[in-house]
Amino acid sequence: MSSQPLGMRHRGVATLAALGFALAVAGCGGGGGGDGGTPLTKAQYEQHLATDSQTITKAFQPLSTPPSSLSVLASQLKVGQEKLRSAADDLNGVTPPKDVAKDNQALAKGLQTLADELESLRSAAAKKDPKLVQKALNELKSSHALVDARVATDDMRKKGYKLGGFS
């Protein structure tokens, strides 16, 4: 394999690591509590976010170094997508404090959308096609999902919420 495809893979991994880290920094995720009825307290909600932000970070941590192959990258992305979708489902399943209800909804939608958008990258990696991987990465760079999630978590911070160990 030439050095150019390896270079493309490395840039792709760096971009994904940045996406995963940004999500972790944003304190994204769920983790139980709030059964759709009684709103969680601020402390319960903060704990809820902290727990799943750690899960998401762990899922994307392997992407902080170049994978040994595009097949490995595809496998790592699949795990990351599952964690993002799980966090989105968890967020949709809780009743957050009223002052962050809209932020919670935006965050859940952002996580789900990002998981969906990662599918083109995972598929390209599974096909072992560096050109498709690079194309998918370029498309991800213009994703609004990450921006939307970041706006929601920035608003939570302004309201005094602690969003995990990364804030």
Side-chain angles (χ1 to χ4, degrees), residues 28-36 40 45 48-49 51-53 55-56 82-96 104-105 107-109 111-112:
C28 303
D35 57 6
L40 294 171
Y45 189 68
H48 183 77
L49 292 172
T51 299
D52 273 359
S53 70
T55 300
I56 291 169
E82 289 169 1
K83 297 297 182 187
L84 288 171
R85 287 185 177 114
S86 176
D89 289 345
D90 286 346
L91 283 171
N92 282 322
V94 302
T95 303
N104 182 76
Q105 185 178 13
L107 183 55
K109 184 179 179 185
L111 291 173
Q112 181 62 52

Side-chain angles (χ1 to χ4, degrees), residues 56-125:
I56 291 169
T57 300
K58 287 178 187 174
F60 282 99
Q61 193 165 10
L63 297 173
S64 63
T65 58
S68 57
S69 69
L70 289 177
S71 296
V72 169
L73 176 62
S75 176
Q76 291 170 339
L77 285 170
K78 184 174 182 179
V79 171
Q81 286 176 286
E82 289 169 1
K83 297 297 182 187
L84 288 171
R85 287 185 177 114
S86 176
D89 289 345
D90 286 346
L91 283 171
N92 282 322
V94 302
T95 303
K98 288 182 182 184
D99 63 333
V100 293
K102 287 183 182 179
D103 296 323
N104 182 76
Q105 185 178 13
L107 183 55
K109 184 179 179 185
L111 291 173
Q112 181 62 52
T113 300
L114 184 59
D116 293 345
E117 289 174 349
L118 284 171
E119 182 57 30
S120 63
L121 181 59
R122 190 207 60 76
S123 177

